[in-house]
Amino acid sequence: TNDGALLYPQVTATRRMQSLDGIWRFRFDPESEGERDGWPETGLPDAAQVPVPASFNDLFTDKASREYTGDFWYETEFVAPGEWRDKDLFLRFDAATHRADVFVNGIPVGSHEGGFTPFAVRVNDAVRWNEANRLVVRLNNELSHASLPAGTTGTLPDGTKVSGPYFDFFNYAGLQRPVRLIAVPAEAVTGYTTTYELHKDGSAIVHYTVETRGLRPEDTLRVRLIDEVGSVVADAQGAEGELAVAYARLWDVRDAHLYRIEFTILDGTGNAAAADGGVIDEYHDEIGIRTVEVRDREILLNGRPVYLRGFGRHEDSAINGRGENLAVVTRDFELMKWCGANSFRTSHYPYSEEELRLADREGFLVIDEVAAVGFMKSLMNFLDAAKDDDEHRGRGFFDDPDVMTRTLHVHKAALDELFTRDRNHPSVIMWSLMNEPDSASEAAVPYFRAIFDHARTLDPQHRPLTYTNLMMAAAGRDRCHGFADVICLNRYYGWYVQGGYQLSGAKAAFMAEMDRWMQIEPDKPFVFTEYGADTAAGVHKLPSVQWSEEYQCEYLKMQHEVFDAYPAVVGEQMWNLCDFQTGEGIMRVDGNRKGAFTRDRQPKAAAFLLRERWNDATRHQ
Ligand SMILES: CCC[C@@H]1NC[C@@H](O)[C@H](O)[C@H]1C(=O)O
């Protein structure tokens, strides 16, 4: 339900908000009996106590809890303030991973599929005003070929379910981002879009549309643009129009200038109470005046070419798991700035709204990725790429008969939610629709066509669309690159292939593939969205060996030599900013160790190498 509750929550003259974060009751439900046993009405029996937001997985001391797969429940209570009864009351979950059913006082009030975008459920008909109300939420973290991220669900001999992720990050789950009670007027702003037109004389036009609900014909919808010193620089009326800015302070890479866009619905009947000044609804947001386009094999920001320097990342930290931790987010931006980075990809799922708002303020360029990862059957950290699990033996991911129906449906819905949530962020400059799909398979082509065609309809700013290509679909094997505006490559020459002493051979093979790409896609820009080498911090070796800090630096130097040999390369995002947690396996040492920094955000030698390369002003922008 997008009734104005999906806009980023805020308190204004007309809107109210109450955080429900804190300690909630929690329990697993391996037999899926909770609803039958009345938990929505009576609450959770024998419950544990867990924090929201956080993943549940790293809180406990037993393996069955860390690895738990199936239904699990959260419970808390909240008071519905009587002063809000004339507004629409919503529960807004910023993320419930991977799916949720919500109950208030035993009454089902809504459900959601997908663990990385917000949803809101209206609860007016279920609450008791000025009293405690029981909030019970059933979540589920099972993976399938129709879940984003994709995977499979197996069972142990005793019937216990086991997650089989087709991706290289831990299948963390839970209420991993804030939960809020919010109150929105019945007549309200429910969404908006912006596009930008820059002029040579330094002026600009902000074209806007506003989505409302319940707007009465006699009421006025006013839109104002306010600059950083609080001056109203433009104003307009109506559900769509333009805001002309005489001297626009453009949003630019690592030079962010934000404007406050303010939407106000004013009572047009003339008999509004003087107290509220006739304001029916008021919502404001921060936008950046900038343009993004791909032209002449460059990515242009405000008409000037940019070179992406930065990282693939994860929302991942000790104890929290994938739970939002603003201290970690802040430290990660500090590390990226220290390295001289200007960009990151939200690998491999939409990051929190707080993360993107920070990117807007810091002037970072973001490749915003939907959680369409694992569209290549690879279990246990890629050792078994295309390994077939029982249900889908012998077929590639896209050969699965349900992929063009169930998977495509879930994928499109996830894109709709991602674009609606993030379309107004100046930091978002490109959309990644999939990470490392099996794009070498013929069956992938109709799927790509359907999903790219759909995505093209979602962004009024028409930002470039891409996906990331992995080595199993190298130049000449990938059948889907034609759909992408920018070719994004995840490459590991010198790690997964021809590692160690063979590094010189790896470089030759890497350049041979790049030469082939230059023939295949002679007009598109290329971005390396991943390159990296697992490195155990503190392991030193002269001469180097793989897993030593010295080797990670040798590896990175070689990659950068190749990138610098091809003018078509307009970006390099090292994998990964930090070490991060994965499922256990013989190729993971309590997680993936390709970080330039450790999981507790301390530097390896590679961090200093990147800092030297990216702070060298004589290089790219
Ligand atoms: C085989 C491609 C490499 C792979 N790419 C996706 C990331 O999520 C993984 O972490 C990375 C890795 O294995 O380090």
Side-chain angles (χ1 to χ4, degrees), residues 168 348 382 435-436 492 496 530 575 580 588 592 594:
D168 187 35
H348 297 297
F382 300 97
N435 179 73
E436 298 179 341
Y492 291 85
Y496 284 113
E530 287 184 25
W575 190 259
F580 59 91
R588 294 292 176 262
N592 183 307
K594 292 190 178 72

Side-chain angles (χ1 to χ4, degrees), residues 55 58 66 165-172 311-323 328 332 335 345-349 351 369 373 380-382 435-436 490 492 495-496 529-537 547 552 573-585 587-602 604:
S55 308
D58 286 345
R66 187 186 69 202
Y166 291 161
F167 47 86
D168 187 35
F169 52 91
F170 194 86
N171 187 31
Y172 283 120
F311 298 93
R313 298 173 56 202
H314 268 296
E315 289 186 316
D316 170 281
S317 60
I319 317 295
N320 292 282
R322 206 162 314 295
V328 167
D332 284 356
L335 299 181
R345 173 172 55 120
T346 71
S347 41
H348 297 297
Y349 38 77
Y351 289 5
E369 185 159 272
V373 56
M380 200 165 75
N381 319 118
F382 300 97
N435 179 73
E436 298 179 341
N490 295 355
Y492 291 85
W495 182 254
Y496 284 113
T529 31
E530 287 184 25
Y531 62 103
D534 278 281
T535 304
W547 288 90
Q552 189 178 30
Q573 296 186 328
M574 184 258 186
W575 190 259
N576 187 288
L577 174 66
C578 298
D579 294 344
F580 59 91
Q581 195 55 267
T582 65
E584 59 188 329
M587 289 166 57
R588 294 292 176 262
V589 184
D590 187 22
N592 183 307
R593 297 305 178 101
K594 292 190 178 72
F597 295 84
T598 59
R599 196 179 191 212
D600 62 352
R601 274 68 184 175
Q602 300 306 335
K604 301 174 193 173

Side-chain angles (χ1 to χ4, degrees), residues 403-416:
V403 88
M404 284 302 286
T405 49
R406 292 176 61 223
T407 309
L408 185 59
H409 173 75
V410 172
H411 196 171
K412 283 180 175 178
L415 283 177
D416 293 349

Side-chain angles (χ1 to χ4, degrees), residues 475 508-520 565-566:
F510 193 179
M511 295 188 78
E513 187 195 358
M514 285 307 290
D515 292 342
R516 187 88 177 77
W517 273 117
M518 292 305 109
Q519 295 164 337
I520 293 170
Y566 294 88

Side-chain angles (χ1 to χ4, degrees), residues 230-409:
S231 309
V232 178
V233 296
D235 67 67
Q237 289 191 1
E240 62 182 276
E242 46 188 64
L243 295 158
V245 184
Y247 305 100
R249 286 302 305 264
L250 301 186
W251 188 93
D252 214 321
V253 56
R254 302 292 291 114
D255 181 19
H257 291 278
L258 293 169
Y259 286 81
R260 176 181 164 119
I261 190 165
E262 204 174 75
F263 305 100
T264 309
I265 298 178
L266 293 164
D267 185 321
T269 61
N271 58 14
D276 62 15
V279 173
I280 294 173
D281 187 29
E282 185 184 86
Y283 187 79
H284 56 80
D285 206 354
E286 291 185 316
I287 61 169
I289 299 177
R290 63 101 182 89
T291 58
V292 180
E293 57 187 310
V294 174
R295 198 173 63 216
D296 302 330
R297 218 175 199 189
E298 297 273 15
I299 298 175
L300 304 180
L301 187 74
N302 303 329
R304 286 185 300 107
V306 287
Y307 187 90
L308 307 187
R309 302 185 304 270
F311 298 93
R313 298 173 56 202
H314 268 296
E315 289 186 316
D316 170 281
S317 60
I319 317 295
N320 292 282
R322 206 162 314 295
E324 179 175 279
N325 178 327
L326 296 183
V328 167
V329 171
T330 306
R331 172 78 178 174
D332 284 356
F333 270 91
E334 180 63 21
L335 299 181
M336 291 193 285
K337 290 189 282 187
W338 181 84
C339 289
N342 63 15
S343 82
F344 62 88
R345 173 172 55 120
T346 71
S347 41
H348 297 297
Y349 38 77
Y351 289 5
S352 72
E353 290 155 288
E354 285 76 20
E355 178 97 44
L356 289 179
R357 296 170 81 83
L358 212 44
D360 293 343
R361 289 184 203 124
E362 295 284 3
F364 267 70
L365 305 175
V366 177
I367 300 176
D368 206 353
E369 185 159 272
V370 74
V373 56
F375 288 15
M376 151 83 75
K377 289 198 283 182
S378 56
L379 291 166
M380 200 165 75
N381 319 118
F382 300 97
L383 256 191
D384 309 293
K387 168 180 161 50
D388 288 318
D389 55 338
D390 301 343
E391 188 190 344
H392 307 286
R393 183 160 302 290
R395 286 195 301 267
F397 184 87
F398 291 102
D399 296 320
D400 181 334
D402 295 340
V403 88
M404 284 302 286
T405 49
R406 292 176 61 223
T407 309
L408 185 59
H409 173 75

